[in-house]
Amino acid sequence: CIIFTERKDKSQIKKVLITTVPFILISGAYLVLRLTIFNFSAIFSSAGENIFQRTLVFLKLLPEYWKILIAPVGLHYRVVRNIDAGIGNLTVIFSLVILAFIIFSVIRFKGYRKILLFGFGWFFLGIFPASNIVVPINFLIGERWLYFSASGLFITAAFFLDALLQKFSKSE
């Protein structure tokens, strides 16, 4: 960024390159090691074999994330969860209904679409790396990923609370 923002003489460009090249080399070496020697693709993931099954497991565990946000009790790093997640599972259906409600609310509240998209997007993009959907990882539910993504849900909850309060204040 520094190189392209303004005209620099050759000594300044050389100085910037000397300070950034070690970081680029270390990052490249890590990437090569990660893809070859430290290949973690054989890590057992209990989320499932294919992407469809992992998506169903994520949908089953999504209410668990919401429960942790509302009442964070009984948290332990060695919690065994039942991951029987089929398309007919009630928890999966509940998650799909909630996701349909989210889509409906974004469509319904046209004037507030940006804040709703930001809030829900913040939550789902924040929780996505721990979802096991694209890249299987070695844990089913990562409570630590909620710290970042919870603010998105709190933004949308504040919006709905404000809209509800405005509606009741107008009716009086």
Side-chain angles (χ1 to χ4, degrees):
C1 290
I2 297 171
I3 296 173
F4 301 111
T5 56
E6 55 188 66
R7 294 208 174 251
K8 305 266 184 201
D9 63 2
K10 288 185 180 186
S11 65
Q12 287 177 324
I13 294 173
K14 187 176 181 180
K15 186 177 177 182
V16 168
L17 287 176
I18 287 174
T19 57
T20 57
V21 164
F23 294 109
I24 295 170
L25 290 175
I26 290 172
S27 298
Y30 171 75
L31 186 62
V32 167
L33 288 173
R34 178 78 165 99
L35 294 175
T36 57
I37 297 172
F38 304 128
N39 187 2
F40 296 113
S41 63
I43 288 179
F44 173 75
S45 173
S46 55
E49 295 287 326
N50 58 26
I51 196 165
F52 179 71
Q53 189 176 10
R54 290 192 304 262
T55 303
L56 290 176
V57 169
F58 174 69
L59 288 173
K60 178 169 172 76
L61 295 174
L62 198 55
E64 188 80 19
Y65 281 115
W66 296 328
K67 185 185 93 177
I68 291 169
L69 283 174
I70 294 169
V73 293
L75 299 178
H76 193 271
Y77 73 97
R78 289 274 189 197
V79 176
V80 178
R81 291 178 172 83
N82 181 11
I83 57 166
D84 181 30
I87 195 71
N89 188 297
L90 289 177
T91 312
V92 172
I93 294 171
F94 175 72
S95 293
L96 289 172
V97 168
I98 295 296
L99 290 175
F101 170 74
I102 290 171
I103 293 169
F104 171 76
S105 64
V106 169
I107 293 170
R108 169 76 170 84
F109 296 103
K110 291 181 183 176
Y112 301 100
R113 188 172 286 164
K114 287 182 183 178
I115 194 164
L116 290 174
L117 280 174
F118 176 78
F120 288 130
W122 188 277
F123 175 75
F124 284 109
L125 287 176
I127 206 76
F128 186 73
S131 69
N132 277 313
I133 293 176
V134 177
V135 178
I137 50 182
N138 61 349
F139 59 87
L140 281 177
I141 190 164
E143 295 93 351
R144 61 192 166 275
W145 289 88
L146 285 176
Y147 293 117
F148 179 74
S149 59
S151 56
L153 284 184
F154 295 143
I155 288 170
T156 55
F159 161 75
F160 282 118
L161 184 63
D162 182 53
L164 189 65
L165 289 174
Q166 285 182 5
K167 184 176 182 177
F168 283 124
S169 67
K170 286 181 183 178
S171 65
E172 292 178 358

